[in-house]
Every structure is written in structure tokens, then in C-alpha cells.
Amino acid sequence: MYQAVHTIMCENPTKKMWDSYLYFESEPTTKAFLQQTYEKQNIPKSNVYAFHNASKFIYYIKQARQYYFSAAESDILVQPLLLYYGMVSLLKAYVLTRDPHYPSNTRVLQHGVTSRKIKRNYYSLAEDEVRVQKEGLLPYLYTFLSKEPLQEKYRLQDLLAIIPELQAAYQRLYKHASLTSVSLSSHRNFERLYTIFYLPDFVLDNVHLTYASFIHYLNRYNQGEAYFAASSLEAPRGIIRLEWHHPEKIHVTESGNGFENILFLHNYKGSFFYKTQAGKNHTIPEVVIHYMIMYVLGMLCRYETERWGEIVFSFMSEDMYMIQEFLTLSARKFPNLVYDLLLQERYIFYTE
């Protein structure tokens, strides 16, 4: 999906990311961008659609920016709602680049998800569920992101488990690991294109496989031209040494799609993680995960105001820790994820 990866060093990554969105707030550059995007998809009359959609696209971006900036200045009592509608505006901008007729009907303007009615006597964020509807923004967006079918419902703890930046908080709160960090070798072999990387050896126990069988297991989940191979060199005790091969990329950090394997994730700083728990959430794009979680939090603060107040202002709920971690992360990462989708390239805004 992503053609390249760019690392942009800056003093303030969040500001630099939003400043990069200014490219889309100019009518000439937006028209050119939309026309080029439509032409790549072989959409007829690309120039006409670009002309008609430019203003709509610009206002989606400007509205999203205002929602996010307002959320940054707002109390947590209303913050999830502002962030959610900021997400919606950004996703509408992306969908418009895939479908020049969007919205073609009112059904695609619905949320596309719903959450179960909250019981009055007890609430647990981890055990809450989000259900996917047949129509609406989420299922329509998903058609442009993945060919795998969406499940009927998702438990929030399972969604939180596959967000890399939340792993430390996840382990502390739920007492087990769902991801483990990948250690990359910085060595580059210009004669043979491969990356050496290391994993803790307990990953073999998790899937009950030998080292050789684990290589085959990883290769079953490849989604591109890359593949994994065993290393001929022994690794230090407690870890395993593997090789990642690609016909064009010298090192995995140069690949816009990372390992090109659904068992591996990367955070917004470019570090990689391996999923220690295989499950049905393998193929969910992270923008979809953020959207579903933020929908639940937004509905909580909008329709269950008293319950939401008890969660965020009392000392009785363990959910507050994870909620705050997620809100902080999503405010920074989600616009970055959509920016990557718009340009079909991965951008890492990073400070030392």
C-alpha cells in the first residue's frame, strides 16, 4: 500500500504533522492532488471531479484540524467527542479520494458502528464491545483498506492489544503481553538484500513451534514479496535470530509497508513489534481500531455523561489510566495515519 517511508526530523512532531496538512488547504494544490489520485485509479473525468471536490476536501481537512485543536484545549469531559468528529472529518477526506461521488447517499454518512447499552451498576472499558453495522462510514471506509471481512463485533481489550504505543500500559493494566518489541540490526549488506532481526525465544513457546517451523509460520502471513529465512549464525541465549529478505529493499526500515506481514506492526516512531497472540484482529487497519474505540468513548461522554464523569473524575475506575493513554496517543497518531493514507507513503515525524 505504501510506496516509501520518510523520516522527518523536527522539534515538534505534532506541529510539523499538522503543518504538513496545509498542503491540502490550498485550492490549486488540492485540485492537482485529487486529479492525480483519481487518475491513478483510472477514474474517468478525473479533472472534472478534482475541480468539483477540491473545496469539499479542503473543508474536511480544515474542520478536522479545528476539532483536534479544540480537543487539545478542552477538558477530558468532552475531549473524546471532539476527537471522534475530528476523525470523521479526516476519514471523509480520505474516502473522497477513493470515491469522487462521496457521499452518494445518506446511508454512508451514518457512523457504521454501534455499542451495547451500558449497565448502570458496572462498566468495564476492556469488556465493552463495538458492533459493526452493514452500512455507514466505517464499513464503507473498510472496503478501501482491506479485502478481509470485518467481524460482527469486537471487544475493546482485543483492539487495545494491537496498538503498539499502548503496550506498556496494556501490560501494566491487564497483566499480560500481546506484543513484543523487535530488535533490528543496523547492519546493511549491499551484496545480499536482507535485514537481521531478533525476537525473544518465548515466541516459539507461544505458538508451540520449533525454530524452523516458526519460519514457515511467519511466511504464511506474508502480504508482499518479502519473506523470512533462518539465520546461519547462532543467537545469544534467550533470543532467536532471523532474516527478512526483500527483492528491492536493503533494510526493513526502508520499506513503506514494514515487514509486509500481518504479524508485525510499527509505531509512529518507526519501531517494530511482533504480535505474540494470533487472533481474528490480525488484519484490522489501525485507523479502523482508533475509530471504533473513540466511537465508544465519544458515545460514553455524550449519552452517559454521569457514568463518564464517574470514570474520569473518581478514583474507583481502573479504566481512566487506559483511556487517558489512548486519548493522548490517538490525538497524535490518528491524523498521521490518515496523512499516510492520503499520500500512500509513510511519514515518521520524529524528534531526538
Side-chain angles (χ1 to χ4, degrees):
M1 179 184 294
Y2 299 113
Q3 302 303 314
V5 57
H6 306 277
T7 300
I8 300 175
M9 303 298 293
C10 51
E11 293 184 0
N12 187 327
T14 301
K15 182 179 184 302
K16 181 63 177 177
M17 176 191 63
W18 279 112
D19 286 348
S20 299
Y21 267 102
L22 290 172
Y23 176 84
F24 299 121
E25 295 187 22
S26 163
E27 194 165 305
T29 55
T30 296
K31 285 180 181 177
F33 166 73
L34 289 176
Q35 182 172 343
Q36 183 182 39
T37 303
Y38 293 150
E39 286 174 350
K40 287 181 179 178
Q41 300 170 75
N42 298 316
I43 295 175
K45 300 180 180 179
S46 296
N47 60 328
V48 176
Y49 288 124
F51 176 80
H52 287 298
N53 288 336
S55 294
K56 186 191 299 184
F57 183 90
I58 290 171
Y59 283 121
Y60 282 149
I61 298 298
K62 290 179 71 69
Q63 187 179 60
R65 177 195 297 273
Q66 192 57 51
Y67 273 127
Y68 274 90
F69 284 14
S70 297
E73 301 296 325
S74 297
D75 190 89
I76 194 172
L77 198 62
V78 297
Q79 198 175 67
L81 199 58
L82 293 169
L83 290 174
Y84 173 73
Y85 283 108
M87 284 182 171
V88 169
S89 295
L90 286 176
L91 292 179
K92 285 180 178 179
Y94 170 70
V95 170
L96 190 63
T97 67
R98 305 292 107 185
D99 176 9
H101 302 285
Y102 179 81
S104 57
N105 58 70
T106 57
R107 296 187 299 276
V108 296
L109 295 175
Q110 300 169 4
H111 298 294
V113 288
T114 185
S115 55
R116 64 187 181 189
K117 190 174 181 180
I118 298 167
K119 297 180 179 180
R120 291 291 177 182
N121 58 341
Y122 173 74
Y123 177 75
S124 169
L125 178 73
E127 296 303 320
D128 203 354
E129 295 176 344
V130 59
R131 292 180 176 271
V132 179
Q133 298 179 316
K134 293 183 178 180
E135 296 180 314
L137 177 59
L138 179 68
Y140 192 54
L141 163 75
Y142 191 81
T143 62
F144 302 113
L145 300 178
S146 178
K147 296 180 180 180
E148 298 295 326
L150 277 166
Q151 303 293 323
E152 180 182 346
K153 63 181 178 180
Y154 294 92
R155 192 173 66 124
L156 261 60
Q157 183 174 334
D158 296 334
L159 298 178
L160 293 166
I162 47 179
I163 299 179
E165 294 86 349
L166 295 182
Q167 187 57 204
Y170 182 92
Q171 291 184 33
R172 190 172 298 122
L173 192 60
Y174 303 127
K175 310 305 180 186
H176 68 274
S178 56
L179 305 175
T180 187
S181 61
V182 176
S183 297
L184 296 179
S185 170
S186 59
H187 173 71
R188 283 166 166 75
N189 187 328
F190 292 93
E191 295 180 358
R192 293 185 62 201
L193 305 181
Y194 68 88
T195 301
I196 299 169
F197 69 98
Y198 303 88
L199 288 171
D201 61 4
F202 68 73
V203 299
L204 302 179
D205 297 329
N206 286 349
V207 288
H208 308 291
L209 295 173
T210 63
Y211 175 74
S213 298
F214 183 67
I215 301 295
H216 293 293
Y217 168 76
L218 292 181
N219 283 321
R220 280 167 34 201
Y221 294 95
N222 289 334
Q223 292 187 308
E225 299 179 277
Y227 66 92
F228 298 91
S231 174
S232 59
L233 301 177
E234 290 187 11
R237 186 175 182 179
I239 62 175
I240 56 174
R241 189 176 189 267
L242 305 100
E243 296 177 1
W244 179 81
H245 293 251
H246 194 282
E248 298 177 356
K249 305 298 181 183
I250 295 175
H251 200 269
V252 69
T253 54
E254 300 172 7
S255 169
N257 298 304
F259 280 97
E260 297 185 357
N261 183 290
I262 61 177
L263 296 179
F264 291 84
L265 304 168
H266 54 79
N267 64 16
Y268 65 76
K269 292 184 178 180
S271 299
F272 290 93
F273 295 80
Y274 166 74
K275 297 178 183 176
T276 57
Q277 297 178 343
K280 65 182 181 181
N281 303 324
H282 269 329
T283 59
I284 307 177
E286 193 170 343
V287 288
V288 173
I289 294 173
H290 282 246
Y291 180 89
M292 289 194 286
I293 296 172
M294 196 67 76
Y295 171 82
V296 172
L297 297 181
M299 294 303 101
L300 261 174
C301 77
R302 182 177 182 181
Y303 294 112
E304 295 281 345
T305 308
E306 182 179 358
R307 174 70 65 188
W308 178 245
E310 292 173 354
I311 292 172
V312 299
F313 292 127
S314 74
F315 300 107
M316 303 303 293
S317 174
E318 67 176 14
D319 291 329
M320 183 55 204
Y321 175 52
M322 183 58 76
I323 288 172
Q324 187 63 72
E325 289 282 313
F326 174 74
L327 292 177
T328 301
L329 168 67
S330 190
R332 163 64 181 89
K333 191 177 185 181
F334 188 86
N336 202 153
L337 293 172
V338 177
Y339 188 76
D340 295 349
L341 285 172
L342 289 171
L343 295 178
Q344 294 295 285
E345 295 182 337
R346 191 154 61 90
Y347 285 80
I348 300 171
F349 298 95
Y350 189 71
T351 184
E352 290 184 326

